[in-house]
Amino acid sequence: MPRFEEDLAAITAAIVQYSRAMDERRWDLMEAVFVEEAEIILNGKRFAGRARGIAAIRACIECCRLTHHANTNIHAVIDGDTASVRHNIRAWHAGGKNGDVIFEALGIYEDEFVRRDGRWLMRRRSETTPGSVGDPAIFAAAAPVMRALIAESEVAGA
């Protein structure tokens, strides 16, 4: 198999692992797809470092009883040991106080990958969600955690 296809398959596997980590609440799987110094941007909110970014994601996901994330239209530009990747995400969430709140987002991930020790890892992930249906209040319990992590990131990024 030519190198591009091998690299694209490895990058796609990391993207799928990220989504699987959220849906299975397997934060160890998510840690394995990022470099330690990763930058994670969620709808314009910047989190400096893998630990802060994953803590923000975890706060949002753990507000939900059930989630389902599907990745599509993966487009990668690979240049040696770096890659710029853009793909779509459809993210379905259920939960809330009564367990009956639904929120679904149609989003775009723009990622920067780097190859380290033969593995493709995310160095930067930027998520935007230009479309959604349902009640975003499903994530209300995550707000205090997010604010604290944003403040930490501002200090860390200074």
Side-chain angles (χ1 to χ4, degrees), residues 97-137:
K97 281 187 177 181
N98 299 319
D100 59 353
V101 176
I102 302 293
F103 181 79
E104 184 170 19
L106 302 175
I108 300 163
Y109 285 139
E110 294 182 78
D111 300 328
E112 292 176 13
F113 276 82
V114 61
R115 186 189 341 245
R116 289 195 182 160
D117 299 323
R119 295 181 51 232
W120 283 101
L121 301 169
M122 284 186 221
R123 174 172 51 203
R124 183 175 190 270
R125 165 152 278 191
S126 180
E127 172 192 328
T128 55
T129 51
S132 64
V133 294
D135 189 352

Side-chain angles (χ1 to χ4, degrees), residues 2 14 16 22 24 35 48 51 53-54 67 70 72 84 91 105 108 119 137 140 143 155:
V16 169
M22 286 187 289
E24 295 179 7
V35 297
I54 291 173
T67 61
T72 64
S84 297
I108 300 163
R119 295 181 51 232
V155 170

Side-chain angles (χ1 to χ4, degrees), residues 42-59:
L42 306 173
N43 288 311
K45 294 173 177 51
R46 180 182 172 275
F47 301 92
R50 173 178 65 200
R52 283 186 197 90
I54 291 173
I57 294 162
R58 185 174 181 168

Side-chain angles (χ1 to χ4, degrees), residues 59-78:
C60 291
I61 295 301
E62 289 183 347
C63 289
C64 304
R65 170 179 52 80
L66 183 63
T67 61
H68 179 83
H69 294 78
N71 305 281
T72 64
N73 303 354
I74 298 171
H75 179 269
V77 176
I78 301 169

